[in-house]
Structures are given as structure tokens and as C-alpha cells.
Amino acid sequence: MTNYMTGFGNHFSTEAVPGALPIGRNSPQRPAFGLYAEQLSGTAFTAPRAENRRSWLYRLRPSAAYPAFTRYIGAPNFVPANRDAPLAPNRLRWGPIDAAPGTDWLDSMTTILVAGDGPLSQTGVAVHLYACDTDMTARAFVSGDGELIIVPQAGALTLFTEMGRIDLNPGQIALIPRGVRFRVTLPDGSARGYVAENYGAPFRLPDLGPIGANGLANPRDFETPVAWFEDVDGEFELVQKFDGRLWTTQLGRSPLDVVAWHGNLAPCRYDLARFNTINTVSFDHPDPSIFTVLTSPSDTPGTANVDFVIFPPRWMVAEDTFRPPWFHRNVMSEAMGLITGAYDAKADGFVPGALSLHNQMSGHGPDVASWEAASTADLKPHKIDGTMAFMVESRWVFQPTEVALQSAALDPDYDAVWRGFPKAQLPG
């Protein structure tokens, strides 16, 4: 039997023990084997049927059984935004961060950017980096603030979630819904990557509009794990993120004890190589929104709370066209990372594991070397290969955290990439 079920947003039914899942009723008076029925809701109960996200879980113990939370003193860089600091419209770039020895995934989390009003208003997004070398064993993490897109850049992860196990390699992403508990182990001994934390409406596949029925990310390529559980008693810590801060409690058991579940709210993984890229064959090129994998809509139609966008290997075929991203200023704010290879708009300095910020109406585009190469290129069909970049784009302005601004990974002179452009020469 496969370890995954496919289809984004499908209603799944799965059980790790035959007979654990009730048939025909969500929450019977006496669930099989003395299990406890629990509904996990990712949207309001009264959300329209097409947008309603919820699952029924059947577990060994009620998830409500835990003592009071206290402040968590680990993960010193997993922080909320500093709203009191003035925000300069500067373009910023950070290099990769290194793992501190003996640090697990949770404690390594470093918040770089926060956009929007945050979890209490359920708007915006945060971007974090992680670099770790130790497994999470007798503890789990849950974000009450938002759903997580986990983007490995180096080193595999194994995510043990309440609803199943996900094996995740660089080039794949995992989507963990708000409120789902999980722990992370490192099959390769160390790992580095990115996390986007969406505070707004749950991610969904974008509408295709004039593209038609096919293209971009296909629902069937999203893989949701089958039921799996831990029956572990003893010391076990649960760390919860709530209103940007971390809290801890001791459970006395593993919280990953869901024996069966059914519904359409569940973690999943997606292989970015399966993205069906749409491009142009005539002139110019489409906006980067044509590379959107997942979108979280806002209350303004067509303007996203956050988009998750990729720049994968693809053919470039257009005529009389400047093929890299053009110079632009736009109302959306852009945080960009690089998983592997090189990015076609930056010839130097933007390496795998790095992160850049171009906030609302900040001028940006290719550096001098990329501009020169693209301006003189022989425009034959050309394949951009061996690369995978991504962008977390939001209608909200990103606020760098104080940790990010004080980080040794911050590029002290990112603006230099746009120096040296020759002045245009007019006739006469």
C-alpha cells in the first residue's frame, strides 16, 4: 500500500488500524477501540462548502488533555516583528545561515521577515530560515498562528505529523495546516531551508483563467500521508506558537496518536519538478504570477494575501524579448529564496540558501552582468536548467526582524548589484 494519497483538497479517509474509522457517522457515541473523536477545523464552521476545511480525527487520548502553557525559552531567533522600529524602503539580502551544533529544527528557526498585521488579524505572512543538525525526539511543535510551507534547501527532513509521516527532500515542499502538531527528524544528519508561515486564508490552487483546464500545479500531484501514529508514554514536550511567541507544556505522552482520520484538512507534500510551466512563444513574457503554485487570497479580489511562486527549469522561446525579469516596481512585496542552481536575474551573490527582499515599490530587476548578457543574447530557443528559485509575494509590506537586521548573514551592500549601468545615449 502506498504511504500517500493524492489530490489537493480532496476528502480522504485513512486508518492505521482496520476498523478504527467509523462508517457513516463522523462522531459516534462510542468510537471503535475507545478512541476519542475530535474535529480539527481550518476554517469557520459556516464557511462556504467549497472553502470549508476540516477533518475528523480518532485518537488514543483527547488532545485537550494538557496542563497550562508557560513561556518557551528556546528558539531565540523565532520571533515576532518589531513594529515600533521605522521601516526603510531598502532592498535587502541575506546569505545562508549555518547550524549551531546540537540544534534541532524548532530551535534553529530564525524569523527574517514578517508582513501584514499578523496572526491576531489573520492577515500576512512570515518568512523564516532554519539550519539544524539534531532530531526532535520527545517533543513536537504546532503553529496556532498559521499554516506552514516548509522548503528544504539542503538535507532531507522527515515530518512526523498527527495525520501521517512525510518524507521531504530538497526540491519538494510540505504544507502543514494551522493547528497540526508535528516533529522533525534529519535523515541526512543536518538540514537547511526556508519556512513560509501564512497567517491568512488557507492556501489553495490558483484559478487558471484563460490558461484553461491544465497547467501550473495539478491537484493530483499533491500527496497526503496515510494514517500513522505513535503510542508513546513518558515525558513529551509540546511547543506552540501563538501570537508570534512560543509557549511550552508537558503532555506525558506523544500528541501524534491519531489512529484514523477523514476530511479535507491535512498536511501534504508537493514535488516542484511536477509543476507544469506556462510561458510565451511570441514576444515579451508573462508576469511572474504565471508561476504561482499556491495562493492565499485576501479580501481584495485578485490581490493575494500571499502567493507561493517558483521559477523552475523551463524553455525560453520568445522573439525580440528581454528574457530575465525586467526592471520593475510593483505594489506587491517580494521575498525570494534559491533552492538550487543560479537565478537568471542575478549573476553573482545570490546563492542557494540565500534570501532577498524587495518591498512594495522598491525598484529592482537584473544586475548589470545579467542585463548585459540578456541585451546582447542571440535569441534562440534556450532552456533554463539546473535551477529552482521561489518567491513569497504579499500585498503587505515585509518588516525585517531585529534578529535579521543584526545577522552576520545580512549583505552590507546589496545595492551594489545595480551600480554601473551605462546612461542611455540619445541622438543629436
Side-chain angles (χ1 to χ4, degrees), residues 155-293:
L157 304 177
T158 298
L159 310 178
F160 295 94
T161 83
E162 290 183 271
M163 303 170 79
R165 168 179 171 161
I166 296 177
D167 297 305
L168 194 65
N169 294 303
Q172 299 173 319
I173 61 171
L175 180 64
I176 308 295
R178 184 196 318 253
V180 171
R181 301 167 177 181
F182 66 99
R183 63 183 178 88
V184 181
T185 63
L186 313 175
D188 298 332
S190 64
R192 183 173 66 195
Y194 309 83
V195 176
E197 185 176 19
N198 170 30
Y199 302 136
F203 276 116
R204 63 193 66 182
L205 294 173
D207 293 330
L208 294 180
I211 293 174
N214 305 295
L216 311 188
N218 292 305
R220 69 185 296 269
D221 291 326
F222 287 81
E223 300 174 306
T224 295
V226 299
W228 165 96
F229 68 98
E230 285 184 332
D231 185 3
V232 177
D233 293 315
E235 292 187 6
F236 210 104
E237 180 183 31
L238 176 65
V239 178
Q240 177 164 332
K241 185 169 180 286
F242 184 77
D243 190 25
R245 291 171 174 82
L246 299 177
W247 303 84
T248 181
T249 189
Q250 291 291 332
L251 298 179
R253 67 191 187 281
S254 170
L256 312 180
D257 65 353
V258 176
V259 179
W261 63 269
H262 71 87
N264 63 356
L265 181 71
C268 61
R269 75 174 180 184
Y270 176 70
D271 187 341
L272 300 177
R274 297 184 180 183
F275 188 82
N276 184 14
T277 307
I278 304 296
N279 217 318
T280 186
V281 294
S282 53
F283 63 91
D284 214 345
H285 57 237
D287 301 325
S289 49
I290 206 74
F291 301 118
T292 301
V293 180

Side-chain angles (χ1 to χ4, degrees), residues 9-74:
N10 284 5
H11 190 110
F12 297 108
S13 296
T14 175
E15 56 187 15
V17 175
L21 197 63
I23 302 299
R25 296 184 180 183
N26 291 330
S27 180
Q29 182 184 20
R30 297 183 181 86
F33 315 125
L35 296 170
Y36 296 89
E38 173 189 66
Q39 183 171 250
L40 179 65
S41 296
T43 54
F45 296 141
T46 52
R49 181 183 289 266
E51 299 177 11
N52 206 296
R53 306 275 186 93
R54 58 91 177 100
S55 288
W56 281 95
L57 316 180
Y58 298 88
R59 57 194 321 145
L60 297 180
R61 303 171 186 82
S63 65
Y66 56 82
F69 281 91
T70 58
R71 287 296 299 272
Y72 181 67
I73 60 172

Side-chain angles (χ1 to χ4, degrees), residues 383-405:
K383 188 173 185 181
I384 297 176
D385 214 347
T387 183
M388 183 65 75
F390 72 90
M391 181 167 66
V392 178
E393 183 179 64
S394 178
R395 67 174 297 182
W396 314 108
V397 171
F398 282 103
Q399 176 95 31
T401 63
E402 191 62 28
V403 166
L405 293 175

